[in-house]
Amino acid sequence: MRSPRRCSRNGCPRQAVATLTYVYNESTAVVGPLAAFAEPHTYDLCEPHARSLTAPRGWDVVRHEGEFEPPPPTTDDLVALAEAVREAARPVTPRPPEDDQTAYPSPHTGRRGHLRVIPPNH
């Protein structure tokens, strides 16, 4: 499942609800609702940063007048969540013993994936 987009401001952990775009040839900063996809040369902002944004001297700020709301979950998010639940609920099938486990018959020796647990020498 995709994680929600975060504010682009350094150190800000809040969820993004607006997108900032600079229109350089018109010396304008545009703050609008969160774009459907993150685009290069745009910045995602949380509500406090979207409301308090200031532009350089001589620039105009065009700001969305309505409420900034987080985007609703998409069907992709819901499908990913359903797949994750199905995967977690799937029963684990026992693995057949591997040949190299017989080389270490000690009951204290275990094997997980490519790592081997060997007990310390007494």
Side-chain angles (χ1 to χ4, degrees), residues 2 10-11 23 25-26 28-29 36 40 44 46 69 78 98 104 107:
R2 281 183 298 160
N10 285 339
V23 183
N25 61 350
E26 296 179 16
T28 304
D44 294 337
C46 63
E69 296 180 13
L78 297 175
E98 297 179 13
Y104 301 95

Side-chain angles (χ1 to χ4, degrees), residues 8 10 13 16-17 25 37 39-41 43 49 55 68-69 72-73 76 78 84-86 94-95 98 100 105 112 122:
S8 297
N10 285 339
V17 295
N25 61 350
F37 300 99
E39 296 287 335
H41 310 293
Y43 304 90
H49 285 126
F68 291 114
E69 296 180 13
D76 292 344
L78 297 175
V85 169
R86 279 190 211 109
R95 292 176 47 178
E98 297 179 13
D100 60 346
R112 299 194 83 187
H122 297 284

